[in-house]
Amino acid sequence: MRDSCQCFQHDRVASHITNRRQFLRHLVGAGVLTTASLIDPAIARAEKKVPKALVLSCIDYRILEAERYFLSLQNLGGQYDFTALAGASLALSGMPHQYDADAFWDQLDISYRLHHIKKVIILDHQDCAVFQYKIDPNLADNPALELTTHTEYLSRAYWAIRDRYPDLNIELYFVNLNTDVKQISPLAKV
């Protein structure tokens, strides 16, 4: 009668899975140790990549290739944590949603604590639909005003990060759709 009880059968299956998992862990562990002992330690260390920065970018697909190329020129080639939020620096101000700012702070904290990053790079871009939606629908029609507006929000982001993480380097950039990347100096804190 007890063998027909589903509870008892469940316990036997769970026990079998546990034993199988322990066996596989043992095999994998032994395999990893054996393989690791065959690898030259200097080569193993040289191949380990460690993120140097957290990059915040807009979600706009039009600038991703230009950003990737730019980051490779900064000797970061794949050695960065990447976060994309609509509006990039605008997201840190809680626009379009406060959830975006919260997500950024969570990602920065994780990157800082677990990957020990030394730098944050924020990349805003020309003709950003989120800036047009939240700030001015004609923003892209006036390049000088557009750059000034992005500089203001990049600066706000700079000081917000600096206040929480004073030891991090922070770099601000504005990416034109023609792939030119301009470094932005933060405005004085207000």
Side-chain angles (χ1 to χ4, degrees):
M1 183 86 168
R2 186 170 183 193
D3 287 337
S4 66
C5 173
Q6 290 180 351
C7 296
F8 181 69
Q9 289 175 354
H10 181 293
D11 290 343
R12 282 196 337 214
V13 171
S15 173
H16 174 71
I17 291 171
T18 302
N19 291 338
R20 185 173 171 200
R21 283 185 185 146
Q22 290 171 345
F23 175 73
L24 290 173
R25 281 188 190 133
H26 176 72
L27 279 181
V28 170
V32 169
L33 290 175
T34 303
T35 305
S37 66
L38 298 175
I39 297 174
D40 181 4
I43 293 172
R45 280 193 306 272
E47 292 177 0
K48 182 180 178 184
K49 289 188 174 185
V50 177
K52 298 175 182 176
L54 172 69
V55 175
L56 171 63
S57 172
C58 185
I59 62 172
D60 195 316
Y61 69 95
R62 298 174 296 168
I63 58 166
L64 292 177
E65 288 302 317
E67 288 176 345
R68 205 170 292 132
Y69 178 69
F70 170 75
L71 293 168
S72 72
L73 294 177
Q74 303 302 307
N75 295 319
L76 290 174
Q79 290 183 280
Y80 52 86
D81 292 333
F82 188 81
T83 299
L85 295 170
S89 69
L90 186 63
L92 269 69
S93 69
M95 286 194 273
H97 306 287
Q98 183 57 43
Y99 304 117
D100 296 325
D102 295 342
F104 171 78
W105 292 117
D106 288 345
Q107 295 304 301
L108 177 55
D109 186 57
I110 290 168
S111 189
Y112 181 80
R113 286 188 301 113
L114 299 181
H115 294 160
H116 311 289
I117 59 159
K118 304 291 183 215
K119 182 188 313 189
V120 174
I121 298 172
I122 304 175
L123 298 151
D124 274 12
H125 70 93
Q126 180 183 30
D127 193 33
C128 181
V130 179
F131 271 82
Q132 292 171 26
Y133 177 69
K134 290 293 185 179
I135 305 297
D136 180 353
N138 301 313
L139 192 61
D141 298 337
N142 184 340
L145 179 60
E146 182 178 37
L147 183 58
T148 299
T149 303
H150 280 274
T151 299
E152 289 172 10
Y153 279 92
L154 284 163
S155 296
R156 289 179 192 181
Y158 175 92
W159 291 111
I161 296 167
R162 172 72 59 225
D163 287 345
R164 291 186 188 197
Y165 298 90
D167 60 323
L168 285 178
N169 293 318
I170 305 161
E171 296 177 7
L172 311 172
Y173 296 95
F174 185 73
V175 182
N176 289 307
L177 293 182
N178 67 2
T179 69
D180 288 336
V181 179
K182 175 182 174 60
Q183 186 162 14
I184 304 295
S185 295
L187 301 172
K189 189 174 183 178
V190 270

